[in-house]
Amino acid sequence: MIRSLLAVDGVVAVCHFRDDGALVEGYGRMPDQQLQALARFAHDYKRLVQGNIDQLAMFTGIDGWTPPGGWIVHGVGMTVCGVGNLVCVLENAAGNPSEVMRELAEAARY
């Protein structure tokens, strides 16, 4: 199922990871070792975002902050997008992060 995300313009890799950060499946133009590192990074970053969102919700007292819908880390040449336990890497020049996030959100429902 997640392999179809490689058809989205700019996506070079996609991973599904467990709640402990272990790689479940990964596809793309990266060696297995990099896909495993991507899964660990996505797991750790997801937890960091969740902790920050929990604090924001607690201190503001405003509903609607949790759960986070996803996250994006934008770099000079590449962007990493995550929703749930799925993560994609895309080339900035070739892809649209908004489109990738929509596709990730759809795939994360399954």
Side-chain angles (χ1 to χ4, degrees):
M1 174 66 192
I2 68 167
R3 184 176 286 186
S4 64
L5 291 167
L6 290 173
V8 177
D9 289 341
V11 174
V12 296
V14 59
C15 290
H16 177 216
F17 57 94
R18 293 192 320 222
D19 288 336
D20 65 356
L23 180 66
V24 174
E25 59 182 327
Y27 306 101
R29 299 185 319 215
M30 292 181 165
D32 286 342
Q33 187 177 17
Q34 284 183 335
L35 291 172
Q36 290 172 358
L38 175 62
R40 284 191 306 274
F41 165 79
H43 168 264
D44 292 346
Y45 201 83
K46 176 185 168 186
R47 290 181 54 112
L48 180 97
V49 167
Q50 183 65 57
N52 288 340
I53 293 294
D54 288 345
Q55 287 182 0
L56 188 59
M58 180 178 68
F59 290 127
T60 64
I62 299 172
D63 292 336
W65 291 107
T66 59
W71 52 267
I72 298 174
V73 177
H74 184 77
V76 174
M78 305 288 265
T79 297
V80 181
C81 303
V83 174
N85 284 10
L86 299 178
V87 62
C88 281
V89 176
L90 69 137
E91 295 174 332
N92 293 340
N96 179 343
S98 296
E99 180 183 358
V100 172
M101 291 300 283
R102 279 192 301 273
E103 295 293 330
L104 275 172
E106 180 67 26
R109 291 186 190 144
Y110 296 105

